[in-house]
Amino acid sequence: MKKFIECIEEVMKEAFAASGYDDKLAKVTLSNRPDLCEYQCNGAMAGAKLYKKAPIMIAKDVVEKLQGNSVFESVEAVNPGFINIKVSKEFLASYLNDMLADENLSVEKSNAPKTIVIDYGGPNVAKPLHVGHLRSAIIGESIKRMGRFLGHKVIGDVHLGDWGLQMGLIITELSKRKPELVYFDKDYQGEYPEEAPFTVSELEEIYPTASGKSKEDENYKNEALEATLELQQGRRGYRALWKHIMDVSVADLKKNYEKLNVEFDLWKGEADADAYIPDMVKYLKDNGYAYLDQGALVVDVKEESDTKEIPPCMILKSDGASLYNTTDLATIVQRMEDYHPDEIIYVVDKRQELHFIQVFRCARKAKMVEEDTELSFVGFGTMNGKDGKPFKTREGGVMRLERLIDEINEEMYKKIVENRSVRDENAEKTAQMVGLSAIKYGDLSNQASKDYVFDVDRFTSFEGNTGPYILYTIVRIKSILSRYTEEGKNPEEGTVRQAVSASEKALMLELSRFNSVIGPAFEEKAPHKICSYIYELANAFNSFYHETKILGEEDEVKKTSWIRLLVLAKEVLETCIGLLGFEAPERM
Ligand code: ARG
């Protein structure tokens, strides 16, 4: 469906043209003086210079052409030359009826659907998930869902960190603890056991222990580096151990992501890129992109316009080991081969920006992607505690994701039980749903690139700009609709009529904006735009609700119209929270 604002702009353009002015001036925007009007056009101001005429004269000419037009309730020229618009209630109601009838609630699917790979989550195998990985998962999942809603083919890849030093560290520590394991026997030729020689909790203890030791003991660290290199070079026993580490931790990761409503299409990782490295290195050398610098293989990526120094992209260390750059570049090769994407989006901590600048430039310079393949970096800020420092446990340790989720859910559970409107058996499930909304909305309502304070009290509140407030609003609508159904009536029938109150019209105006929010939110990879929209929509609904006795209304035509409005509000809100990655319960 055409956007509501475009419908207005179209009429405005005609009026500009009919008065002899350039119709490019006829830009319509949401009003920044909602007390005076709903939309406005400032084109006459811009036209003053062009036509050497007072802007108010131009505005008056245009307005004159618009009198009696069915799109407007009123359209006025005001000093010094603004055009103030109120839209017609009839036109607004008919737009909302069209929305109700539209299968995608007025949002048009892209007419040039793209194939997009989105790289998000990025957990490191064998290290517990911590809050740093939470943001990537939450933001990435939302961008993925928005893209799909707009008709793009979006492939989500978790891109595990499964090839680095942490693997060498675990192998080294295991070799100290259980040197008798067959994995360490270089001469062993047989099959390796199917069962892992450790459990997930052991694994989670082994890694920090090993990492601690390597910081204190140079020899230990060198052993771990050597083990990493041997693993990467294909030592059989180490590969077999690696496989065990993978199986055990991936099973655990999947469980955690499921709790977050985050779902990946691909569970590939850095290790999968390994097979592409030799050919890639050869290609970079043969074509003169890469050269040896003090034994290391590098590609220059600086550009003339750089204001700060961008160091060369290192492809291989002098000992031949691959690096983070190497796996990311080889992964690009693999993704181009497998999916030929139009765009690859990386949702990663913004502190890694330089890395991605180097990788993107190298990929482009060496023609590893097509000229029109977009490489996008969505860098997010840090999640801080109330003290303004990176979020920690109360005891000051690294906050594990599981623990954070449990704490929020407990908090929600307490609030919900206090509320007592839900029978106990549902309270736990409801608490999980509301808890997830608190975490996700709390994160997504901030512009991704900014640091933000994770404030449990504020995020779990039922009032204010929070996930629980949005859910509360949806649940309120659902409860009215189910009581209406209990009256023996069907909320799916009937038409939206002209607004009879200011709060009703305000709600209708908010609803009509839906399709103009989603497209830009996706283009700009900005889920926070959806959050601000639904916050305003929820506020508009609640003002209307507090002023209107919906079910008590005796005029059936009015009542039906309101119910239809509620149905639309519910659908729009539920669609939006779906795009943000959470759901509303039936009751709260
Ligand atoms: N595993 C990395 C980390 O924890 C994030 C991976 C991001 N994705 C990528 N393609 N580099 O920092």
Side-chain angles (χ1 to χ4, degrees):
M1 267 169 74
K2 198 180 288 171
K3 300 194 174 78
F4 191 71
I5 195 165
E6 285 169 358
C7 302
I8 304 173
E9 202 164 271
E10 220 160 69
V11 180
M12 191 57 75
K13 277 191 167 156
E14 281 165 23
F16 268 79
S19 324
Y21 303 112
D22 188 346
D23 70 359
K24 285 199 192 65
L25 295 170
K27 182 133 191 57
V28 174
T29 57
L30 268 181
S31 160
N32 52 21
R33 285 290 303 275
D35 51 326
L36 296 179
C37 59
E38 296 152 358
Y39 285 89
Q40 67 186 54
C41 170
N42 301 347
M45 306 291 289
K49 250 201 181 147
L50 205 60
Y51 297 101
K52 298 198 174 48
K53 221 174 183 181
I56 189 72
M57 303 303 292
I58 301 178
K60 279 188 172 155
D61 289 345
V62 172
V63 160
E64 196 184 315
K65 294 276 183 306
L66 290 169
Q67 294 312 315
N69 190 300
S70 63
V71 168
F72 305 112
E73 178 178 302
S74 71
V75 50
E76 288 172 337
V78 297
N79 273 322
F82 300 118
I83 301 175
N84 286 355
I85 299 163
K86 285 190 177 163
V87 297
S88 114
K89 294 185 182 118
E90 209 179 309
F91 176 63
L92 184 56
S94 88
Y95 192 86
L96 298 197
N97 283 316
D98 290 347
M99 278 179 82
L100 275 164
D102 187 286
E103 55 175 31
N104 221 22
L105 288 170
S106 77
V107 177
E108 274 177 29
K109 302 263 182 206
S110 165
N111 49 19
K114 295 202 250 178
T115 299
I116 301 169
V117 172
I118 176 163
D119 178 318
Y120 70 113
N124 297 316
V125 167
K127 298 190 200 172
L129 272 182
H130 60 80
V131 297
H133 292 111
L134 180 68
R135 295 213 69 192
S136 178
I138 292 179
I139 299 165
E141 180 71 18
S142 175
I143 296 175
K144 180 188 83 181
R145 291 180 183 214
M146 287 194 264
R148 288 194 181 153
F149 186 64
L150 290 166
H152 301 291
K153 179 178 172 197
V154 191
I155 304 158
D157 184 358
V158 70
H159 198 72
L160 298 164
D162 57 1
W163 208 224
L165 181 60
Q166 84 266 29
M167 293 299 187
L169 283 166
I170 293 168
I171 293 173
T172 303
E173 182 58 23
L174 263 178
S175 74
K176 308 271 178 219
R177 294 187 187 187
K178 302 181 183 173
E180 72 287 358
L181 287 177
V182 59
Y183 306 93
F184 300 113
D185 177 357
K186 272 195 171 167
D187 300 324
Y188 183 73
Q189 294 294 333
E191 297 274 310
Y192 290 103
E194 268 183 26
E195 203 168 313
F198 42 70
T199 63
V200 77
S201 17
E202 280 170 316
L203 202 53
E204 285 181 357
E205 175 268 320
I206 292 175
Y207 171 72
T209 309
S211 159
K213 283 190 190 171
S214 79
K215 279 181 193 128
E216 269 154 30
D217 181 348
E218 194 65 20
N219 287 335
Y220 191 97
K221 183 168 182 189
N222 287 334
E223 269 181 70
L225 283 168
E226 177 61 25
T228 311
L229 187 62
E230 282 187 79
L231 166 72
Q232 294 180 349
Q233 285 170 348
R235 179 166 160 176
R236 272 186 82 237
Y238 288 4
R239 291 272 171 138
L241 270 180
W242 174 85
K243 181 86 177 47
H244 287 311
I245 302 173
M246 288 296 285
D247 290 347
V248 168
S249 29
V250 166
D252 188 57
L253 284 170
K254 286 196 170 159
K255 207 179 65 199
N256 274 290
Y257 282 122
E258 204 173 306
K259 278 194 196 162
L260 285 173
N261 252 352
V262 169
E263 210 187 316
F264 299 97
D265 306 290
L266 302 175
W267 279 82
K268 292 195 171 293
E270 295 174 351
D272 289 290
D274 194 54
Y276 295 80
I277 294 177
D279 279 355
M280 178 182 85
V281 168
K282 184 170 182 319
Y283 168 83
L284 290 173
K285 279 189 195 159
D286 289 354
N287 290 281
Y289 296 118
Y291 64 93
L292 281 174
D293 181 21
Q294 294 168 26
L297 190 71
V298 301
V299 174
D300 274 334
V301 292
K302 59 175 189 288
E303 287 171 7
E304 247 167 58
S305 55
D306 288 342
T307 48
K308 61 171 192 246
E309 189 179 326
I310 307 290
C313 184
M314 197 188 287
I315 309 291
L316 292 178
K317 289 203 282 192
S318 48
D319 64 0
S322 56
L323 305 105
Y324 193 35
N325 291 331
T326 328
T327 52
D328 262 326
L329 282 163
T331 303
I332 292 182
V333 174
Q334 173 225 319
R335 287 175 178 159
M336 290 309 287
E337 270 185 37
D338 290 355
Y339 306 104
H340 211 87
D342 300 292
E343 182 174 9
I344 309 177
I345 302 175
Y346 296 82
V347 186
V348 186
D349 191 311
K350 72 176 174 198
R351 286 169 294 188
Q352 293 189 25
E353 184 169 17
L354 178 60
H355 163 75
F356 284 98
I357 293 179
Q358 292 175 306
V359 167
F360 292 178
R361 284 188 181 182
C362 180
R364 240 179 237 303
K365 176 174 177 182
K367 304 196 167 43
M368 297 161 74
V369 294
E370 306 278 323
E371 226 158 279
D372 58 359
T373 311
E374 267 182 85
L375 297 170
S376 317
F377 176 63
V378 179
F380 52 81
T382 309
M383 174 174 149
N384 288 325
K386 275 190 189 168
D387 58 0
K389 303 212 184 87
F391 199 82
K392 293 263 156 63
T393 60
R394 257 174 241 135
E395 302 79 43
V398 173
M399 179 60 118
R400 295 186 47 175
L401 191 57
E402 250 178 318
R403 169 139 173 225
L404 174 85
I405 298 176
D406 288 346
E407 279 183 14
I408 297 274
N409 289 352
E410 249 167 62
E411 189 65 31
M412 280 328 315
Y413 183 79
K414 270 191 242 150
K415 288 197 182 176
I416 284 167
V417 173
E418 266 167 34
N419 250 9
R420 277 172 199 275
S421 63
V422 180
R423 273 170 297 136
D424 267 358
E425 58 208 76
N426 284 331
E428 215 162 299
K429 178 95 201 14
T430 307
Q432 283 167 14
M433 290 175 99
V434 186
L436 191 61
S437 81
I439 296 176
K440 288 197 165 186
Y441 191 93
D443 189 304
L444 293 171
S445 54
N446 300 286
Q447 202 177 316
S449 61
K450 298 224 166 100
D451 297 348
Y452 76 98
V453 173
F454 192 90
D455 181 340
V456 179
D457 297 328
R458 188 165 80 73
F459 289 4
T460 57
S461 167
F462 285 41
E463 278 151 43
N465 191 6
T466 70
Y469 168 70
I470 303 292
L471 295 195
Y472 198 79
T473 306
I474 296 175
V475 165
R476 174 174 270 167
I477 300 177
K478 284 187 178 181
S479 123
I480 302 171
L481 293 177
S482 72
R483 275 185 284 149
Y484 185 74
T485 310
E486 278 159 25
E487 287 176 11
K489 298 190 184 113
N490 184 357
E492 296 308 321
E493 281 167 11
T495 343
V496 175
R497 307 283 169 147
Q498 295 182 33
V500 292
S501 68
S503 66
E504 185 183 5
K505 190 176 185 195
L507 170 60
M508 291 171 80
L509 283 166
E510 283 298 338
L511 286 166
S512 71
R513 283 202 308 125
F514 176 52
N515 61 7
S516 63
V517 172
I518 304 299
F522 176 67
E523 290 310 321
E524 294 162 39
K525 303 176 178 83
H528 73 277
K529 297 211 158 169
I530 298 187
C531 294
S532 5
Y533 172 64
I534 54 177
Y535 180 52
E536 277 168 30
L537 177 56
N539 283 341
F541 169 77
N542 285 312
S543 307
F544 166 71
Y545 168 83
H546 287 300
E547 270 184 18
T548 318
K549 283 213 171 59
I550 301 169
L551 290 170
E553 176 59 48
E554 279 171 12
D555 180 337
E556 282 298 327
V557 174
K558 259 193 205 163
K559 182 166 160 181
T560 311
S561 165
W562 289 339
I563 291 293
R564 295 301 286 148
L565 204 52
L566 261 59
V567 168
L568 184 58
K570 175 179 102 83
E571 285 182 8
V572 168
L573 285 169
E574 284 195 312
T575 303
C576 288
I577 63 169
L579 296 177
L580 298 174
F582 56 91
E583 296 161 335
E586 286 311 303
R587 275 174 289 176
M588 255 163 98

